[in-house]
Amino acid sequence: MGIIGWILMGLLAGIIAKMLMPGRDPGGIIITILIGIAGGLLGGWLGKVIFGVDSIDGFFELSTWIAAIVGSLILLAGYRLVAGARHRH
């Protein structure tokens, strides 16, 4: 998958993660996109390391989308914890 594919998938995975975790985020849409892109990479890496499978088979594979969304959810939750704690002080 090329860089354009990763960016598009990250955008969509970030939006889906945001829908699954509603609420106020300390960042805007750009942060959501960046978290989605990084989450897609994280999800693919975790799928390889933990399950020993190549979860990033292609853009239209279900396993690719699940890995990207789970990675985005992990990063979004982490971002909320870090930025939320920093914002409260």
Side-chain angles (χ1 to χ4, degrees), residues 46-82:
L46 285 176
K48 252 184 200 178
V49 170
I50 294 173
F51 301 112
V53 297
D54 188 16
S55 59
I56 305 299
D57 294 327
F59 189 80
F60 295 105
E61 294 292 325
L62 181 62
S63 62
T64 302
W65 284 95
I66 291 172
I69 293 168
V70 168
S72 295
L73 286 169
I74 291 169
L75 288 182
L76 184 59
Y79 178 70
R80 284 183 178 182
L81 286 174
V82 171

Side-chain angles (χ1 to χ4, degrees), residues 80-89:
R80 284 183 178 182
L81 286 174
V82 171
R86 185 180 56 183
H87 186 35
R88 284 185 220 132
H89 287 91

Side-chain angles (χ1 to χ4, degrees), residues 17-59:
K18 176 73 173 146
M19 283 194 259
L20 293 174
M21 287 181 67
R24 289 192 62 143
D25 284 327
I29 189 71
I30 300 298
I31 298 297
T32 302
I33 292 169
L34 294 175
I35 287 173
I37 293 168
L41 294 171
L42 174 68
W45 180 76
L46 285 176
K48 252 184 200 178
V49 170
I50 294 173
F51 301 112
V53 297
D54 188 16
S55 59
I56 305 299
D57 294 327
F59 189 80

